[in-house]
Amino acid sequence: MPERLAEMLLDLWTPLIILWITLPPCIYSAPMNQSPVLMSGSPLELNRLSEEQRILNRSKRGWVWNQMFVLEEFSGPEPILVGRLHTDLDPGSKKIKYILSGDGAGTIFQINDVTGDIHAIKRLDREEKAEYTLTAQAVDWETNKPLEPPSEFIIKVQDINDNAPEFLNGPYHATVPEMSILGTSVTNVTATDADDPVYGNSAKLVYSILEGQPYFSIEPETAIIKTALPNMDREAKEEYLVVIQAKDMGGHSGGLSGTTTLTVTLTDVNDNPPKFAQSLYHFSVPEDVVLGTAIGRVKANDQDIGENAQSSYDIIDGDGTTLFEITSDAQAQDGIIRLRKPLDFETKKSYTLKVEAANVHIDPRFSGRGPFKDTATVKIVVEDADEPPVFSSPTYLLEVHENAALNSVIGQVTARDPDITSSPIRFSIDRHTDLERQFNINADDGKITLATPLDRELSVWHNITIIATEIRNHSQISRVPVAIKVLDVNDNAPEFASEYEAFLCENGKPGQVIQTVSAMDKDDPKNGHYFLYSLLPEMVNNPNFTIKKNEDNSLSILAKHNGFNRQKQEVYLLPIIISDSGNPPLSSTSTLTIRVCGCSSDGVVQSCNVEAYVLPIGLSMGALIAILACIILLLVIVVLFVTLRRHKNEPLIIKDDEDVRENIIRYDDEGGGEEDTEAFDIATLQNPDGINGFLPRKDIKPDLQFMPRQGLAPVPNGVDVDEFINVRLHEADNDPTAPPYDSIQIYGYEGRGSVAGSLSSLESTTSDSDQNFDYLSDWGPRFKRLGELYSVGESDKET
């Protein structure tokens, strides 16, 4: 407690001592038991001062500024005196009043207007505001007139150690590689202190470690944290918690402090070699396992992590290095043993391998710790499995001549059971590969025989599949492809390569080549085709043509003379014998047709027909045929046109020799009403002239013949339709022998389910008496209008 009090007194008086030493001579300071005073005076007063006063007193100037200090966080029963304002113009008569203005005037700082004393009436905090700028002025008490110009001065809040250091960015995290040397820098931390850094030691910080020793150390001034022990092992301890303290006042007692935590994590380095968990591994695998299947896994443990723990695996020795392989699994950090080649229990029943695991990433700093690799032994036992039959060859190639006899043996396939307990084998042909069943196989010995004749010209190759099945276990089967090649025999005679037709010019020259022909043979001899050409024996001395063999195995036909005439003979037939070079040779006779044609002077064929002689010059037979076709087509068009015109002009009215009757159409149902215009022949209205002579209609013929009536005078064209209808109606009414053949539509049937009955007036009883149709109004809205038309009163009748 006494030490704390001494430090506070030292903080209080230190700025006053510094101020006293650094103040200029123009400033007067009050005694230690008095408050600081600002004094001023006019030049005249200074001249009246005696020399003694000048020697004893410092020279003064009017209204000079000064600084006042006040301690922060000061709290007491009364306001704290900051300082005093005073002027030489004040004789002590209390006629001068002091006025204070500026920052905090009246609220924080209060002045006695008579004495000039300034007090702080509130508790101050330097961290909120470090200084205040105020203005002081002396005025006349009565008139308030300024006696001197105003002057500014500053009140500084003097700092005390009231803020502890803080780590604003804590807690901290840092990493450092394991096995680092002594003094390796880890990180640095920073604390802040809100106190004044230029005044005293309130903000002077000193760092220390409270927890985390002896592993780490810290620089007291810079707060740099370093390793304090060499070769710290991550595998022993990976994480450390360090508590750091920052203390102000330069670390002296009585200072304030703050703490934070730092978590240091050791990062891994490759300082540990891989190590197999066991020195010997045992695996078993069936002999029929599929290639590439994983047989087993081995693992070398590494205390490191990440890429430092990655290891590559290899088979470095053993009797199965060619049958097995090992690959590394980067995720599980183990080695996977896989099968590369098929196993055979009957050949070898077990294998021994020596595998090695080595780190992928080696740190040369730790190479002296020994080889970063390890080895282990792997024993693999092959288990017996029931295997399918094995053919003596993976494929078979057989050859057979196309003229081979049926049931002759083409070839043979063999297979065996590789198991120790050998099973008999049965052979068969996969008929999906031999749909025409051209081959058979002996089920016991595998001999393939011919079932149908072969023709090389149709198919040279036949590909079939042979199946071998164990008799004891029918599920064990094997397949092998068999390719059968059909060998050629000379069984086809040569013939012309195409149908040739030669043309001979009448004005040709002797020895001229008429046509060059070539031959073809469906057979395929080993040494290629070679054909012999000759004429029939009876045509060897042919007076018209001869033949010549060419080097390219073709034949040229030549004319022996000129003067061929197509009128005498238009076509010549030349039989040619073609023989091949087979054993035995085959031959055939092909006939070449030679036509005699008329040619131009340069040998271009123009016409080869005899009819060309009888045609006019410049007009061929084809042109005449085209002309005749055009004439016939024109005649057909004319006949069709005339026929259509006659059919169009035929009238609808029958002439004198036909019966005449009106257009009467009877409907057995209600029909279409007024919209039905099909029943009325409008042609009658369009042909008024038809009334002359009483031309009857031919659409309906009356049953009884009647005498023609005396007609009226012919009606001119364009007569009014109403007048025409009235004339015909009058004629029909005055003819007692003519039935009513007017166009009348009869509604004899109302429809199913109708309660109205028939509305036809033809079937109603003739009566002069009135009929009441009021009941139509009761049939519904559809008959209401009809009832209004028929239900008329007496006044309506008279009208």
Side-chain angles (χ1 to χ4, degrees), residues 488-743:
D488 182 58
V489 295
N490 192 22
D491 57 348
N492 291 278
E495 57 187 7
F496 277 159
S498 62
E499 295 183 0
Y500 294 101
E501 186 176 11
F503 298 94
L504 174 63
C505 293
E506 290 179 315
N507 55 356
K509 299 179 182 180
Q512 182 179 1
V513 177
I514 300 173
Q515 181 72 38
T516 299
V517 298
S518 59
M520 59 166 292
D521 194 332
K522 295 181 180 179
D523 297 322
D524 187 16
K526 295 181 179 180
N527 298 325
H529 291 289
Y530 181 79
F531 300 113
L532 297 176
Y533 300 93
S534 61
L535 298 176
L536 292 177
E538 60 271 17
M539 298 190 67
V540 173
N541 298 323
N542 191 313
N544 299 316
F545 308 100
T546 184
I547 60 175
K548 177 185 177 182
K549 176 69 180 298
N550 300 322
E551 294 182 357
D552 60 353
N553 216 15
S554 62
L555 180 70
S556 297
I557 292 89
L558 295 81
K560 284 187 174 182
H561 61 84
N562 58 359
F564 288 93
N565 191 339
R566 50 181 162 169
Q567 286 184 323
K568 294 181 180 180
Q569 186 172 352
E570 180 184 3
V571 178
Y572 292 90
L573 300 178
L574 183 63
I576 300 174
I577 300 174
I578 307 174
S579 302
D580 59 16
S581 57
N583 186 18
L586 297 179
S587 62
S588 65
T589 302
S590 299
T591 302
L592 177 65
T593 302
I594 303 175
R595 293 185 178 275
V596 181
C597 302
C599 302
S600 62
S601 59
D602 54 357
V604 177
V605 177
Q606 292 182 340
S607 176
C608 298
N609 297 327
V610 179
E611 291 81 356
Y613 283 100
V614 300
L615 295 176
I617 298 176
L619 194 62
S620 62
M621 180 64 69
L624 286 177
I625 294 174
I627 293 174
L628 291 176
C630 292
I631 294 174
I632 293 173
L633 180 62
L634 291 175
L635 291 175
V636 171
I637 293 174
V638 171
V639 172
L640 291 176
F641 180 76
V642 173
T643 303
L644 292 175
R645 288 295 301 270
R646 290 180 178 179
H647 179 73
K648 182 177 180 181
N649 294 333
E650 184 178 357
L652 297 175
I653 306 301
I654 304 175
K655 296 300 181 180
D656 297 337
D657 54 341
E658 296 184 9
D659 294 337
V660 178
R661 63 183 299 176
E662 298 296 333
N663 180 20
I664 298 177
I665 298 176
R666 178 181 177 89
Y667 290 87
D668 291 337
D669 56 4
E670 186 169 346
E674 295 179 355
E675 297 180 357
D676 191 352
T677 59
E678 296 180 359
F680 189 80
D681 188 5
I682 196 64
T684 305
L685 300 180
Q686 295 175 348
N687 187 18
D689 296 338
I691 62 174
N692 188 15
F694 301 95
L695 298 178
R697 294 184 62 85
K698 64 179 182 179
D699 53 355
I700 299 177
K701 186 175 181 180
D703 295 334
L704 299 177
Q705 196 73 17
F706 63 90
M707 295 299 295
R709 298 172 299 209
Q710 295 295 330
L712 300 177
V715 180
N717 291 332
V719 69
D720 186 69
V721 176
D722 295 336
E723 182 180 355
F724 171 74
I725 294 176
N726 291 331
V727 171
R728 295 299 298 265
L729 181 61
H730 177 74
E731 180 183 357
D733 292 339
N734 294 330
D735 188 0
T737 61
Y741 288 144
D742 294 330
S743 178

Side-chain angles (χ1 to χ4, degrees), residues 391-396 413-415 427-428 464-468 478-483:
F391 283 95
S392 59
S393 175
T395 59
Y396 290 89
V413 297
T414 58
F427 299 94
S428 62
I464 62 175
T465 300
I466 303 299
I467 302 174
S478 297
R479 298 172 179 267
V480 66
V482 177

